[in-house]
Amino acid sequence: MTKNTISVAYFKHPYAEFVIGTYQDQLCLCDFRYRKMRATVDNRLKKQLKAEFIEQSNPLIEATITQLEEYFLGQRSEFDLPLLLVGTDFQQSVWRALTQVKYGNTASYLDLAQAINNEGAVRAVGTANGANALAIIVPCHRIIGRHGELVGYGGGLPLKKRLLELEQNLFLSPPA
């Protein structure tokens, strides 16, 4: 019997270096290659999908790279990729709520907790946000502190600031 596999490839961009992974034609991983929680996120994916990482590209990984490049160039505000959210039901509800925070906007952890009808779960929402395996695509960088301050981010606060600034430009002028 062949073991399930998660195809992974690495993508180095001037903003950050990513590890991108797919499982059965769905994107399950698009995360910072060197983040502190790298092993935790990878192990969760492997365990829940009962799969191992195999370094190999495929059309979905290539499409993900193309869409990330468009995003970083300010040419894409939404991603059009089949996503596989791998986590608990609670984590998945938080990640789905994250996808509703639109390009150029921000929200607080309390806003997210309210969006999933669990206002008392602000800390748990923050923990789920930090466990997101689909950085940029499931936009956890759009979550800020209650008073507008930048708070934790797997890619680091300087990158979070840079992403939010990128999104504030809101497609000012399309390329000629």
Side-chain angles (χ1 to χ4, degrees):
M1 183 173 105
T2 308
K3 210 167 179 53
N4 287 329
T5 61
I6 300 167
S7 297
V8 296
Y10 299 97
F11 168 54
K12 190 169 189 166
H13 185 273
Y15 275 65
E17 191 167 347
F18 296 89
V19 57
I20 300 170
T22 62
Y23 178 78
Q24 296 182 353
D25 298 320
Q26 293 179 297
L27 186 68
C28 63
L29 180 64
C30 179
D31 204 1
F32 304 106
R33 185 171 184 182
Y34 299 109
R35 73 180 283 197
K36 288 179 185 168
M37 289 184 62
R38 173 81 281 118
T40 303
V41 171
D42 293 350
N43 290 336
R44 181 183 76 233
L45 291 172
K46 290 175 186 178
K47 182 177 179 183
Q48 289 192 13
L49 297 175
K50 297 177 177 61
E52 291 299 323
F53 285 2
I54 302 293
E55 193 170 338
Q56 62 186 9
S57 192
N58 61 42
L60 180 53
I61 288 173
E62 294 305 318
T64 302
I65 290 170
T66 298
Q67 290 192 23
L68 283 170
E69 288 174 331
E70 292 167 351
Y71 168 83
F72 288 125
L73 289 170
Q75 299 170 346
R76 174 176 290 278
S77 62
E78 294 181 11
F79 293 90
D80 180 22
L81 300 162
L83 304 181
L84 177 60
L85 303 175
V86 180
T88 66
D89 290 344
F90 178 81
Q91 287 172 324
Q92 290 181 39
S93 72
V94 171
W95 300 331
R96 282 191 297 275
L98 279 170
T99 65
Q100 301 307 305
V101 181
K102 296 297 180 201
Y103 186 95
N105 295 324
T106 57
S108 69
Y109 293 110
L110 177 59
D111 295 332
L112 273 184
Q114 291 169 336
I116 63 167
N117 298 313
N118 196 344
E119 195 171 320
V122 174
R123 283 180 184 250
V125 162
T127 301
N129 196 51
N132 175 24
L134 294 166
I136 314 291
I137 294 164
V138 174
C140 53
H141 62 279
R142 296 181 189 151
I143 304 308
I144 59 174
R146 175 172 41 179
H147 302 294
E149 69 277 13
L150 295 185
V151 291
Y153 187 55
L157 292 182
L159 177 59
K160 182 174 191 161
K161 182 175 190 264
R162 193 169 179 191
L163 294 172
L164 293 174
E165 288 170 349
L166 170 75
E167 292 188 7
Q168 292 306 311
N169 288 325
L170 294 175
F171 297 93
L172 290 178
S173 57

